[in-house]
Amino acid sequence: METDEIRKLEKIGVLSERLLNTLKPAEDKRGMYNAEIRIYDYYELVSIIRNLMKLCIIALDRDSAEVPPTIQNQNIDVGLIIGVALQLFPIDEFELINEISDLYHCRKDGTIVDSK
């Protein structure tokens, strides 16, 4: 293997250790991973769950498109749901993809792009 290719592979290894953060290997399931969300307390957790369930009710019953009147608080906190989705968005992994892309693509002048 050429010296330049070895340096690229070593760089990818360092970048992977630093940027592959969203998924953590699960200890109890082979080939499975965990993704975590950060919450303040049990009240926020139950709010997330309730809002997801209300959103699912509406998605399943498109004709009525409303939370059943038997549910006390019918409002859906869409911001809370989007906040959870943003926590799960793998931004570091996209940075890794960008860094790997920079390692393998040449600039128009023919020089190799050296990532940060």
Side-chain angles (χ1 to χ4, degrees):
M1 208 181 272
E2 294 180 27
T3 305
D4 188 45
E5 290 177 359
I6 293 170
R7 279 191 301 131
K8 286 179 183 179
L9 287 173
E10 289 171 351
K11 179 77 171 177
I12 289 171
V14 169
L15 289 169
S16 296
E17 286 180 25
R18 191 182 88 211
L19 297 172
L20 291 178
N21 301 317
T22 302
L23 297 178
K24 309 278 191 258
E27 294 177 17
D28 58 342
K29 301 268 184 171
R30 186 175 196 163
M32 300 292 289
Y33 294 88
N34 293 323
E36 70 179 44
I37 58 170
R38 291 167 299 282
I39 58 173
Y40 289 108
D41 53 23
Y42 281 100
Y43 184 77
E44 184 178 21
L45 177 60
V46 78
S47 293
I48 292 168
I49 295 167
R50 285 178 54 83
N51 280 283
L52 282 169
M53 292 173 75
K54 287 188 259 184
L55 194 57
C56 289
I57 289 169
I58 289 174
L60 287 171
D61 191 8
R62 286 183 250 168
D63 295 334
S64 65
E66 64 183 39
V67 177
T70 54
I71 306 296
Q72 283 184 335
N73 182 358
Q74 295 187 356
N75 297 325
I76 298 173
D77 188 347
V78 177
L80 184 65
I81 303 304
I82 292 172
V84 170
L86 281 174
Q87 285 187 53
L88 296 173
F89 196 81
I91 193 71
D92 287 344
E93 283 75 355
F94 282 102
E95 184 179 345
L96 173 64
I97 291 167
N98 190 56
E99 296 282 348
I100 291 171
S101 176
D102 286 348
L103 283 171
Y104 286 97
H105 288 91
C106 296
R107 293 185 184 198
K108 289 182 182 178
D109 62 8
T111 60
I112 300 294
V113 176
D114 188 17
S115 60
K116 302 166 193 157

